[in-house]
């Protein structure tokens, strides 16, 4: 979809019912004024606006912040991550461009990549080479132990190493294998050097990786502590892939800010995570997509067996974390062609959570997680003008943001209209 308009003057969203990204009730009848890239004011309808302003009538609609997906992999062009890791970067870059444009079509104006996206893609977006796409916040390659969730080499892969120093090392487009405190620190420094806003480590086994049990913890205590220390001293933070409760607890105990998935969390662990102030980013969309389509798309039998172990507890984990007061972000983690199911995260979560909780997670909670509170995921004076006009009320009907996203009448990012169907 091409960009519709580039405003050169103020835009006023008139008489809007506003979901500000956090409040439990809509704010009725406000005029939201956009000037350039920013929200200039949220004013009463009788506010004396610039006569030259472009006025958009929002009566009968809800105005809300652009959505944020805090767990994507824009280079994950298929379910076979071993093959993806060996694919030419030129192919992966084209896949990423299509992935990102589709995200914006669905109302996601910001995405956080937690494994793969890099400085080259960020530069291409900055220079306008991809056209209109969401804001990309990237963490570079994931950091994994040998045989961990990010080590995509099959078990019968030939040994490789750097003979000159006698140590074992492997890296690809998506991951860096680093063992020991010093190697972890060096790998993190390299990703930060290349502009990563956060660091992703693998704290447990996973579904798509070929050789690691899903329910086992990965990385030693000292290695996780070193990662948190290294990122923190650089003004960054650590996100950690964790499925079992033991991995979740270790991550929170050692200062990991963003715990991805947390699928097998229990009440006691959830209460500990809340006490420590860590965030979790559950990813229901990928779990249910893979359960339904993984076998057809060639996901190995071992991975399907892993999925079945966690499928039954996934939605109940949301209820557990809600009751414990855990700050839950919104992520999807979809691979390859399954990215078309990104918006199913809304309806899946709505089976266990209220609509306001789901919407907050995709707006204000994700913004706070990324250190962007008051700037993204909200409608307030001084925030970036990422805005959606919804035909109907998503607090009453969350499906307006799901399916074919037909409920989204307008999409604005950085003060520029991308979609405008009213």
């Amino acid at each position: 979809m091409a960009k519709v308009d580039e405003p050169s003057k103020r835009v006023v969203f008139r008489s809007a019912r506003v979901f500000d990204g956090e409040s439990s009730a809509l704010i009725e009848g406000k005029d939201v004024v956009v000037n350039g890239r920013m929200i200039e004011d949220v004013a009463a309808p009788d506010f004396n606006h610039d006569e030259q302003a472009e006025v958009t009538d929002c009566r009968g609609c809800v105005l809300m912040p652009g959505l944020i997906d805090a767990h994507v992999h824009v280079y994950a062009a298929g379910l076979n991550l071993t093959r993806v890791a060996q694919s030419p970067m030129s192919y992966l870059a084209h896949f990423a461009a299509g992935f990102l444009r589709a995200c914006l079509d669905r109302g996601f104006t910001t995405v956080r990549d937690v494994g793969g996206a890099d400085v080259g893609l960020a530069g291409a977006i900055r220079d306008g080479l991809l056209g209109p796409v969401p804001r990309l916040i990237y963490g570079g390659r994931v950091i994994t132990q040998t045989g961990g969730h990010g080590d995509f080499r099959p078990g019968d892969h030939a040994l490789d190493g750097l003979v000159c120093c006698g140590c074992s090392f492997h890296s690809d487009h998506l991951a860096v294998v680093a063992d020991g405190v010093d190697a972890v620190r060096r790998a993190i420094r390299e990703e930060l050097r290349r502009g990563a806003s956060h660091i992703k480590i693998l704290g447990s086994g996973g579904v798509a990786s070929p050789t690691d049990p899903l329910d086992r913890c990965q990385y030693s205590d000292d290695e996780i502590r070193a990662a948190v220390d290294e990122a923190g001293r650089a003004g960054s933070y650590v996100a950690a892939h964790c499925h079992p409760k033991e991995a979740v607890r270790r991550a929170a105990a050692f200062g990991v800010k963003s715990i991805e998935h947390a699928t097998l969390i229990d009440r006691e662990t959830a209460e500990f995570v809340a006490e420590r102030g860590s965030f979790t980013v559950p990813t229901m969309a990928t779990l249910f997509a893979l359960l339904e389509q993984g076998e057809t798309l060639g996901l190995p039998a071992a991975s399907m067996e892993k999925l079945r172990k966690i499928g039954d507890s996934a939605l109940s984990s949301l209820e557990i974390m809600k009751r414990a007061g855990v700050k839950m972000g919104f992520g999807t983690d979809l691979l390859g062609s399954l990215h078309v199911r990104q918006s199913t995260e809304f309806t899946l979560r709505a089976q266990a959570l209220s609509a306001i909780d789901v919407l907050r997670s995709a707006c204000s909670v994700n913004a706070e997680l990324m250190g962007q509170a008051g700037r993204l995921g909200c409608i307030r004076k001084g925030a970036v003008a990422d805005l959606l006009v919804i035909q109907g009320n998503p607090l009453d009907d969350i499906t307006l943001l799901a399916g074919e996203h037909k409920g989204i009448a307008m999409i604005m990012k950085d003060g520029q209209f991308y979609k405008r169907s009213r």
Side-chain angles (χ1 to χ4, degrees), residues 38 364 367-368 371-384:
M38 311 302 289
S364 57
E368 182 186 356
Q372 299 289 329
R375 182 173 181 270
L376 301 178
C378 64
I379 295 180
R380 66 172 69 171
K381 184 176 181 178
V384 175

Side-chain angles (χ1 to χ4, degrees), residues 11-65:
V11 175
V12 179
F13 292 90
R14 173 148 293 166
S15 300
R17 305 175 71 200
V18 175
F19 170 62
D20 63 5
E22 185 171 10
S23 300
S24 58
L26 298 178
I27 304 168
E28 299 287 342
K30 290 291 186 179
D31 283 7
V32 176
V33 184
V34 172
N35 188 2
R37 296 180 58 248
M38 311 302 289
I39 296 175
E40 184 176 68
D41 207 351
V42 180
D46 57 356
F47 183 77
N48 186 21
H49 299 303
D50 178 357
E51 291 183 359
Q52 300 301 313
E54 177 183 352
V55 177
T56 296
D57 189 346
C58 293
R59 282 176 293 186
C61 296
V62 168
L63 184 69
M64 66 174 288

Side-chain angles (χ1 to χ4, degrees), residues 288 315 318-319 344-354 358:
F288 284 89
L315 290 175
L318 300 178
E319 297 171 335
T344 64
E345 188 74 23
F346 291 102
T347 48
L348 288 167
R349 289 189 181 214
Q351 295 178 44
L353 301 172
S354 66
V358 180

Side-chain angles (χ1 to χ4, degrees), residues 246-420:
E246 296 83 2
V248 172
R249 186 178 184 90
R250 291 173 77 230
F254 300 146
V256 169
K257 182 179 183 181
S258 180
I259 300 172
E260 311 303 303
H261 313 301
T263 319
L264 300 175
I265 198 169
D266 63 6
R267 179 187 59 79
E268 183 179 0
T269 306
E271 290 172 352
F272 180 75
V273 170
E275 177 186 323
R276 296 287 296 182
S278 296
F279 293 74
T280 62
V281 183
T283 53
M284 297 295 110
T286 192
L287 173 60
F288 284 89
L290 290 172
L291 281 169
E292 293 174 19
Q293 294 181 255
E295 201 163 10
T296 303
L297 294 174
L299 199 65
S303 292
M304 291 303 301
E305 182 60 27
K306 291 180 182 182
L307 279 167
R308 295 183 186 103
K309 287 182 179 178
I310 60 178
D312 291 341
S313 63
L315 290 175
S316 63
S317 72
L318 300 178
E319 297 171 335
I320 289 169
M321 288 186 278
K322 169 61 179 175
R323 287 195 296 269
V326 175
K327 292 183 285 189
M328 282 186 283
F330 182 104
T332 57
D333 192 26
L334 292 157
L335 308 178
S337 61
L338 294 176
H339 76 80
V340 299
R341 298 178 58 140
Q342 186 177 28
S343 297
T344 64
E345 188 74 23
F346 291 102
T347 48
L348 288 167
R349 289 189 181 214
Q351 295 178 44
L353 301 172
S354 66
I356 184 61
D357 287 329
V358 180
L359 292 175
R360 283 172 177 155
S361 70
C363 296
S364 57
V365 177
N366 270 355
E368 182 186 356
L369 167 60
M370 299 177 190
Q372 299 289 329
R375 182 173 181 270
L376 301 178
C378 64
I379 295 180
R380 66 172 69 171
K381 184 176 181 178
V384 175
D386 291 356
L387 300 167
L388 307 179
V389 175
I390 311 299
Q391 295 184 123
N393 182 0
L395 286 172
D396 293 335
D397 182 6
I398 199 75
T399 65
L400 293 169
L401 299 175
E404 296 298 319
H405 44 273
K406 293 178 180 177
I408 304 177
M410 299 185 193
I411 300 171
M412 172 179 276
K413 176 184 171 281
D414 276 330
Q416 298 182 357
F417 282 110
Y418 172 69
K419 175 183 179 180
R420 200 171 187 182

Side-chain angles (χ1 to χ4, degrees), residues 64-377:
M64 66 174 288
L67 303 168
I68 304 171
D69 190 334
H71 193 122
V72 303
H73 298 284
V74 299
Y75 285 154
L79 273 61
N80 185 336
L81 295 182
T82 299
R83 183 169 181 176
V84 171
Q86 298 168 351
S87 297
M89 276 303 302
S90 52
Y91 178 85
L92 299 184
H94 283 288
F95 175 83
F99 183 120
L100 289 166
R101 285 191 287 266
C103 288
L104 189 55
D105 278 341
R106 294 186 281 263
F108 289 91
T109 53
T110 300
V111 296
R112 183 185 69 154
D113 187 286
V114 285
D118 60 2
V119 64
L121 183 61
I125 293 171
R126 178 198 62 220
D127 294 342
L129 301 182
L130 275 65
V133 294
R135 182 177 298 99
L136 174 67
I137 297 174
Y138 70 94
R141 296 171 296 178
V142 301
I143 315 299
T144 181
Q145 68 176 47
T146 295
H149 179 50
D151 187 346
F152 303 122
R153 297 170 298 174
D156 59 357
H157 190 281
L159 294 174
D160 55 4
L162 299 176
V163 178
C164 61
C165 65
C167 64
S168 178
F169 176 81
H170 175 80
S171 67
D172 53 47
H173 306 320
L174 304 180
V176 178
V177 177
D179 296 312
V181 166
D182 290 345
V184 167
R185 288 188 184 276
R186 183 175 182 271
I188 288 172
R189 289 171 182 172
E190 180 64 20
E191 298 312 311
L192 292 171
R193 183 186 73 82
R194 290 171 57 79
S197 74
H198 56 276
I199 295 296
K200 171 83 169 293
I201 65 171
L202 288 309
S204 82
V207 170
S209 42
T211 61
D212 59 331
L214 181 101
D215 57 351
R216 298 299 181 183
C217 294
Q218 296 179 5
Y219 271 133
S220 68
D221 295 359
D222 286 344
E223 287 167 320
I224 298 174
R225 288 191 182 100
V228 171
D229 173 70
E230 199 64 47
R233 286 189 297 104
S236 183
Y237 67 92
V238 171
H241 163 102
C242 300
H243 281 293
K245 62 183 180 182
E246 296 83 2
V248 172
R249 186 178 184 90
R250 291 173 77 230
F254 300 146
V256 169
K257 182 179 183 181
S258 180
I259 300 172
E260 311 303 303
H261 313 301
T263 319
L264 300 175
I265 198 169
D266 63 6
R267 179 187 59 79
E268 183 179 0
T269 306
E271 290 172 352
F272 180 75
V273 170
E275 177 186 323
R276 296 287 296 182
S278 296
F279 293 74
T280 62
V281 183
T283 53
M284 297 295 110
T286 192
L287 173 60
F288 284 89
L290 290 172
L291 281 169
E292 293 174 19
Q293 294 181 255
E295 201 163 10
T296 303
L297 294 174
L299 199 65
S303 292
M304 291 303 301
E305 182 60 27
K306 291 180 182 182
L307 279 167
R308 295 183 186 103
K309 287 182 179 178
I310 60 178
D312 291 341
S313 63
L315 290 175
S316 63
S317 72
L318 300 178
E319 297 171 335
I320 289 169
M321 288 186 278
K322 169 61 179 175
R323 287 195 296 269
V326 175
K327 292 183 285 189
M328 282 186 283
F330 182 104
T332 57
D333 192 26
L334 292 157
L335 308 178
S337 61
L338 294 176
H339 76 80
V340 299
R341 298 178 58 140
Q342 186 177 28
S343 297
T344 64
E345 188 74 23
F346 291 102
T347 48
L348 288 167
R349 289 189 181 214
Q351 295 178 44
L353 301 172
S354 66
I356 184 61
D357 287 329
V358 180
L359 292 175
R360 283 172 177 155
S361 70
C363 296
S364 57
V365 177
N366 270 355
E368 182 186 356
L369 167 60
M370 299 177 190
Q372 299 289 329
R375 182 173 181 270
L376 301 178

